[in-house]
Amino acid sequence: MFNTNARSDMKDNGNIDVYPSEAVAQQEDSFTAEDPVNIGKILKKIRTQYQLTLEDASKRTGVAKSTLSKIENEQISPTFAILQKLAKGLDIEIPQLFVEPKQQQATGRRDITEQGKGQQHLTTTYEHELLATQLSSKKMLPYKSRVHARSFEDFGDWVRHDGEEFLLVLEGEVQLLTEFYQPRTLKTGDSAYYDASMGHLVVSSSKEDALILWITTS
Amino acid sequence: MFNTNARSDMKDNGNIDVYPSEAVAQQEDSFTAEDPVNIGKILKKIRTQYQLTLEDASKRTGVAKSTLSKIENEQISPTFAILQKLAKGLDIEIPQLFVEPKQQQATGRRDITEQGKGQQHLTTTYEHELLATQLSSKKMLPYKSRVHARSFEDFGDWVRHDGEEFLLVLEGEVQLLTEFYQPRTLKTGDSAYYDASMGHLVVSSSKEDALILWITTS
DNA sequence: AGAAAAAGTTTCCAATACGAAAAATAATTG
DNA sequence: CAATTATTTTTCGTATTGGAAACTTTTTCT
């Protein structure tokens, strides 16, 4: 069901420090002239990563969607003027058009994460699905967590970190354990908001694993 | 004539550690889409820095010189295909076309420094003119030095550094002072070669300042 | 599954880039 | 300083790009 090399995993007691995606982000070499750079493929990757349709991209850049389509399909070689429009409209730097796209700043962007399509991050106590991982430097880190933990002992110690946290129970029933407070049961639909520097934990109190939405300030 | 804040200058006793050009190299921000990037101006800078004519560049890149001319003069917006040819032919990375050019590797290149057009570097003892500063990572560092110094005392201590040194007297007469050796007078046309880790100095022994060509291994 | 909407591709023509050669400048040389 | 050569710019025909709209494919909704 979940990871069994318990000891080493216990250090990581379900808390998320940084989005793994930021650390994992593949390091691409900067483009050398020898490589067969496919500007079309790259542009498409950028556009789809932004979750823009050709029409959206057209509106942003002022370049006809037909042109965009042809560029993406390597049917034409865009002029530098077009490259500039693309860069400006998509708010990227031109050299970015020659390297595989990475995460993007959140400003002016959106990132839709479909059910189950988020980035998985497993611990012994929780099964996290990170949301909106395409965007970096976000003010909030949203993720869904399936709660395997059943008791304080499953963690070993309180979870503590900077910032504040909000959670909403999506499925099942959980107990919110909070330092200095009495445990509190939260049913589906209930939510909580708390200072994350105060020790806190969530354990499932129903038979099934509970599912919660979690949002942490970064 | 030369710098007068003597004390701080004495530390720098005429020896050249690195080409100042490498340290001085202006730090340009990477291009943001907002800036009005002038690909023509940049291309021209690169080409002239390589000391290539339009025809040379045309041969290297396979792009017609007329096209190159028009690009440089911003009369046309080159297609991406052309940008690729330029990058490949000039052996640069495409993003380089969007930033002010810096020094270039020496491989396959040449750099002519016209009389007096080298990069000036003044000390209390010498007046250096660095040569071939367009190229980086050179095996040899050539420079001309006008010798102001007249005695060992003008330095304070031996000059020492890794590598070997060759010098040729271009004008005037100098004394080559070398650790473990007797001083030796060198007239115009005379030359010397020595291990630079051994203390060494050159002082002018004629009435006028002497001029020498100096080449150091790096 | 069929209709409607959305997204992507292709067509066609005007606008523009590309290259060869001619014309104009700039640099050299006697 | 005129003549020559080297270098850059302009001209002009051809090839290619870029955009509006038509068309096709994919997705969504009932």
Side-chain angles (χ1 to χ4, degrees):
Chain A
M1 185 193 279
F2 49 80
N3 219 323
T4 50
N5 50 338
R7 207 87 329 250
S8 62
D9 247 354
M10 286 313 265
K11 289 290 295 183
D12 171 7
N13 55 10
N15 188 24
I16 297 182
D17 296 284
V18 255
Y19 264 28
S21 60
E22 303 205 9
V24 158
Q26 70 279 25
Q27 180 59 33
E28 295 276 345
D29 311 59
S30 103
F31 161 70
T32 68
E34 313 302 331
D35 302 345
V37 175
N38 233 320
I39 196 160
K41 226 168 57 188
I42 293 172
L43 175 61
K44 184 163 196 169
K45 221 171 209 169
I46 291 176
R47 179 175 66 80
T48 53
Q49 204 161 82
Y50 278 155
Q51 296 168 203
L52 299 173
T53 66
L54 286 176
E55 186 134 26
D56 294 336
S58 174
K59 275 180 194 153
R60 287 196 183 223
T61 59
V63 176
K65 68 177 179 181
S66 58
T67 302
L68 293 175
S69 170
K70 282 182 267 189
I71 293 172
E72 289 189 356
N73 294 302
E74 297 284 329
Q75 291 177 12
I76 64 175
S77 175
T79 61
F80 179 65
I82 294 291
L83 292 184
Q84 286 195 117
K85 282 191 183 179
L86 293 178
K88 184 161 191 170
L90 298 174
D91 193 25
I92 57 180
E93 313 214 343
I94 289 197
Q96 273 199 260
L97 288 170
F98 314 113
V99 272
E100 293 294 309
K102 312 262 187 312
Q103 275 196 335
Q104 307 295 346
Q105 293 289 323
T107 44
R109 311 248 98 89
R110 72 174 198 189
D111 179 12
I112 293 172
T113 310
E114 290 179 358
Q115 177 84 264
K117 297 289 179 58
Q119 191 172 314
Q120 296 297 321
H121 185 238
L122 305 177
T123 72
T124 49
T125 48
Y126 297 126
E127 192 173 313
H128 300 295
E129 179 188 1
L130 311 183
L131 310 176
T133 53
Q134 308 278 1
L135 301 177
S136 64
S137 312
K138 294 187 292 298
K139 299 282 198 310
M140 298 182 290
L141 301 180
Y143 49 97
K144 292 180 192 165
S145 301
R146 194 160 287 283
V147 183
H148 298 314
R150 301 286 156 163
S151 70
F152 185 96
E153 282 64 43
D154 291 342
F155 292 89
D157 198 2
W158 290 113
V159 172
R160 276 179 231 278
H161 51 83
D162 285 343
E164 302 174 4
E165 234 164 56
F166 168 83
L167 75 79
L168 169 67
V169 181
L170 300 173
E171 293 176 14
E173 186 180 281
V174 299
Q175 278 230 301
L176 174 62
L177 310 178
T178 325
E179 198 176 21
F180 316 131
Y181 285 88
Q182 291 300 318
R184 180 71 194 296
T185 299
L186 300 177
K187 294 181 196 296
T188 304
D190 293 348
S191 62
Y193 193 111
Y194 50 86
D195 171 18
S197 66
M198 179 177 61
H200 60 279
L201 294 176
V202 172
V203 300
S204 180
S205 53
S206 52
K207 195 161 170 241
E208 312 296 328
D209 288 345
L211 182 67
I212 62 182
L213 170 71
W214 231 327
I215 299 181
T216 304
T217 63
S218 55
Chain B
M1 185 191 287
F2 49 82
N3 218 321
T4 50
N5 50 338
R7 204 86 333 250
S8 62
D9 248 353
M10 284 314 264
K11 289 289 299 184
D12 170 6
N13 55 11
N15 188 25
I16 297 182
D17 296 283
V18 256
Y19 264 28
S21 59
E22 303 205 6
V24 156
Q26 68 279 26
Q27 180 59 33
E28 295 277 345
D29 310 60
S30 103
F31 161 69
T32 69
E34 313 303 328
D35 302 346
V37 175
N38 231 319
I39 195 158
K41 224 168 58 187
I42 293 172
L43 175 61
K44 184 164 197 169
K45 219 170 210 170
I46 291 175
R47 179 175 66 82
T48 53
Q49 203 161 82
Y50 279 154
Q51 294 168 203
L52 299 172
T53 66
L54 287 176
E55 184 134 27
D56 295 336
S58 174
K59 274 179 193 153
R60 286 196 184 223
T61 59
V63 176
K65 66 179 177 182
S66 57
T67 302
L68 293 174
S69 170
K70 282 180 269 188
I71 293 172
E72 289 189 356
N73 294 302
E74 297 285 329
Q75 292 177 12
I76 63 176
S77 176
T79 61
F80 179 64
I82 293 291
L83 292 185
Q84 286 194 117
K85 282 191 183 179
L86 293 178
K88 183 160 191 171
L90 298 174
D91 194 24
I92 57 180
E93 313 213 344
I94 289 195
Q96 274 199 259
L97 288 169
F98 313 112
V99 271
E100 293 294 310
K102 312 264 186 313
Q103 277 195 333
Q104 306 294 347
Q105 292 289 323
T107 44
R109 310 247 99 89
R110 73 172 198 192
D111 180 12
I112 293 170
T113 311
E114 290 179 358
Q115 178 84 264
K117 297 289 179 60
Q119 191 172 313
Q120 296 298 320
H121 185 238
L122 305 177
T123 72
T124 49
T125 48
Y126 297 126
E127 192 174 313
H128 300 296
E129 179 187 2
L130 311 184
L131 310 176
T133 53
Q134 308 277 4
L135 302 177
S136 65
S137 311
K138 295 187 292 299
K139 300 281 201 307
M140 298 182 292
L141 302 179
Y143 49 98
K144 292 182 192 164
S145 300
R146 193 159 288 284
V147 182
H148 299 313
R150 300 288 155 161
S151 71
F152 185 95
E153 281 64 41
D154 292 341
F155 293 89
D157 198 3
W158 290 112
V159 172
R160 277 177 230 278
H161 50 85
D162 285 342
E164 301 173 3
E165 234 165 57
F166 169 82
L167 76 79
L168 169 66
V169 181
L170 300 173
E171 293 175 15
E173 187 181 282
V174 300
Q175 276 230 302
L176 174 62
L177 310 178
T178 326
E179 199 175 21
F180 316 132
Y181 285 88
Q182 291 300 317
R184 180 72 193 299
T185 299
L186 300 176
K187 295 183 196 296
T188 303
D190 292 349
S191 63
Y193 193 110
Y194 50 86
D195 170 17
S197 66
M198 180 175 64
H200 59 280
L201 293 176
V202 172
V203 300
S204 180
S205 53
S206 51
K207 194 160 170 246
E208 311 296 328
D209 288 345
L211 181 67
I212 62 182
L213 170 71
W214 230 326
I215 300 181
T216 304
T217 63
S218 55

